[in-house]
Amino acid sequence: DPFIAFHPDKALVRKYMSPLLIGELAPDQPSFEPSKNKKLVEDFRELRVAVEKMGLLKPNRTFFMLHLCHILLLDIAAWLTIWYFGSSTVPFLISAVLLGTVQAQAGWLQHDFGHLSVFSESRWNHLVHKFVIGHLKGAPASWWNHLHFQHHAKPNCFRKDPDVNMHPLFFALGKTLSVELGVQKKKFMPYNHQHKYFFIIGPPALVPLYFQWYIFYFVVQRKQWVDLAWMLTFYIRFFLTYLPLLGVKGILGLHLLVRFIESNWFVWVTQMNHIPMHIDYDKNVDWFSTQLQATCNVHQSLFNDWFSGHLNFQIEHHLFPTMPRHNYWKVAPLVKSLCAKHGIEYHCKPLLTAFADIV
């Protein structure tokens, strides 16, 4: 199920899976793992076939092109604000907010290309992915792919999902793991105050203080020179366009403020769908159950869709990672129906409630 979910080209999957076949089970041997719900697996596979027949995996490329255009227009507007009104406090802050919005929205857009959900050919998705994440954001595509698909394969599974590696170094995550820390009497941080220090080392610090330097370490260590070249085009463009207007101190201050805005936006949106959910060791349950116990949705609205890059439909995104995001709302009723049939809770909450549940 994960191979089918991650790869739009089924023939390619069969090609690379066939060498792994070492034999067939004898007729009297069980062909299904006892930890997985066989009927649920069969129903989900029927749902996926229905989704494909409904055309919900086919993208509307105009949607993504318009999204890219609105990012580029905001980027241009940020520069024009300082160029026309000068570098005083108000134009400086307006430009920073516009550029912070560019970074957040480009983050959601690169996510679409990274999941191969825009073009029918994977190579075009990969190429545009490098442009969006590399040139528009200054980050490496290889780094995103390396981490993000591990997260999708085993969301909220300790030691397998890199997004929960913060446990237990900074935060105590999930009831099961927290109780385990208590039993072992391990105390890395004052966890009884983590709801307070989250606001210091979480949203504001992740991008400017960690990702900012780690991505360069990643590409150099792994010799990802193409990604490094794409990243450098972002910094060259940024310094060439803003240095004459702001000087060295001004441009460094603008860059830090933009990363601060982006970091807060990114952390609140990405964590609201996962951190409040079940976090545990991998129990090897079926694909549908794995995703549902680790994800939740946020109510749909035009603002929520735009603000979160449609990641307010996190459940549907995790079940169908190659589905274009503009179709999530269409498949949501079918997923709810399957959840109701098998007695699985479908979590959906208001945006502010989702933020509060993180803490």
Side-chain angles (χ1 to χ4, degrees), residues 123-142 215-216 219 224-238 259:
R123 63 191 180 101
W124 284 108
N125 284 297
H126 289 307
L127 178 61
V128 183
H129 185 217
K130 289 181 182 295
F131 167 76
V132 177
I133 194 174
H135 182 68
L136 297 184
K137 290 186 61 61
S142 56
I215 54 178
F216 283 97
V219 294
Q224 298 288 343
W225 307 127
V226 173
D227 277 345
L228 180 60
W230 276 108
M231 293 165 63
L232 291 177
T233 63
F234 165 80
Y235 289 98
I236 292 171
R237 175 176 61 88
F238 185 78
R259 291 304 187 199

Side-chain angles (χ1 to χ4, degrees), residues 31-294:
S31 60
F32 209 85
E33 295 174 282
S35 60
K36 299 180 179 179
N37 185 332
K38 185 176 182 180
K39 180 58 179 172
L40 177 57
V41 171
E42 293 172 349
D43 285 348
F44 175 70
R45 290 175 181 174
E46 289 179 6
L47 172 61
R48 181 172 179 88
V49 170
V51 164
E52 292 178 352
K53 289 181 178 178
M54 293 168 66
L56 297 183
L57 297 180
K58 295 180 180 179
N60 178 354
R61 295 191 185 93
T62 302
F63 170 89
F64 294 104
M65 291 304 104
L66 289 175
H67 197 75
L68 175 60
C69 287
H70 111 282
I71 291 171
L72 297 177
L73 288 174
L74 289 173
D75 204 348
I76 294 170
W79 183 84
L80 288 175
T81 299
I82 293 181
W83 174 78
Y84 186 79
F85 294 103
S87 57
S88 57
T89 303
V90 173
F92 184 87
L93 292 177
I94 292 175
S95 181
V97 170
L98 289 172
L99 287 174
T101 304
V102 167
Q103 290 303 303
Q105 291 299 320
W108 311 145
L109 185 60
Q110 67 83 22
H111 180 262
D112 298 316
F113 289 104
H115 274 294
L116 314 178
S117 61
V118 180
F119 295 107
S120 56
E121 293 189 24
S122 295
R123 63 191 180 101
W124 284 108
N125 284 297
H126 289 307
L127 178 61
V128 183
H129 185 217
K130 289 181 182 295
F131 167 76
V132 177
I133 194 174
H135 182 68
L136 297 184
K137 290 186 61 61
S142 56
W143 164 74
W144 184 89
N145 283 314
H146 173 70
L147 296 176
H148 195 66
F149 282 98
Q150 293 181 67
H151 159 70
H152 266 269
K154 295 291 183 180
N156 283 10
C157 291
F158 186 45
R159 303 191 190 284
K160 293 189 176 181
D161 179 1
D163 286 6
V164 296
N165 279 349
M166 66 191 86
H167 174 95
L169 299 178
F170 296 107
F171 301 101
L173 301 177
K175 184 177 180 179
T176 303
L177 300 181
S178 299
V179 170
E180 182 181 275
L181 286 177
V183 171
Q184 296 176 354
K185 297 184 178 180
K186 289 185 177 180
K187 191 172 184 180
F188 294 83
M189 293 285 280
Y191 299 131
N192 54 316
H193 295 290
Q194 67 178 8
H195 60 290
K196 301 174 185 175
Y197 65 71
F198 170 77
F199 294 95
I200 301 173
I201 66 174
L206 182 64
V207 173
L209 297 185
Y210 178 59
F211 281 174
Q212 186 62 58
W213 67 266
Y214 179 75
I215 54 178
F216 283 97
Y217 169 78
F218 181 92
V219 294
V220 172
Q221 181 195 43
R222 293 173 177 263
K223 299 180 181 180
Q224 298 288 343
W225 307 127
V226 173
D227 277 345
L228 180 60
W230 276 108
M231 293 165 63
L232 291 177
T233 63
F234 165 80
Y235 289 98
I236 292 171
R237 175 176 61 88
F238 185 78
F239 275 83
L240 287 179
T241 51
Y242 284 95
L243 188 61
L245 303 177
L246 298 174
V248 175
K249 290 183 179 179
I251 198 172
L252 292 176
L254 178 64
H255 181 69
L256 182 61
L257 182 55
V258 169
R259 291 304 187 199
F260 173 81
I261 295 171
E262 174 196 3
S263 187
N264 279 277
W265 196 328
F266 170 79
V267 171
W268 284 105
V269 169
T270 55
Q271 299 310 301
M272 69 182 182
N273 301 114
H274 293 295
I275 291 298
M277 303 302 292
H278 183 69
I279 301 175
D280 200 350
Y281 294 96
D282 182 18
K283 301 299 183 182
N284 192 35
V285 296
D286 55 84
W287 172 258
F288 190 89
S289 300
T290 296
Q291 306 307 323
L292 263 293
Q293 69 184 9

Side-chain angles (χ1 to χ4, degrees), residues 67 104-105 107-109 111-112 265 268-270 272-273 298-314 325 328 351 355:
H67 197 75
Q105 291 299 320
W108 311 145
L109 185 60
H111 180 262
D112 298 316
W265 196 328
W268 284 105
V269 169
T270 55
M272 69 182 182
N273 301 114
V298 169
H299 291 170
Q300 183 186 21
S301 70
L302 287 176
F303 174 78
N304 287 354
D305 291 352
W306 173 84
F307 183 77
S308 68
H310 287 84
L311 294 182
N312 50 328
F313 287 96
Q314 192 72 213
R325 58 161 125 155
Y328 291 157
L351 181 64
F355 286 163

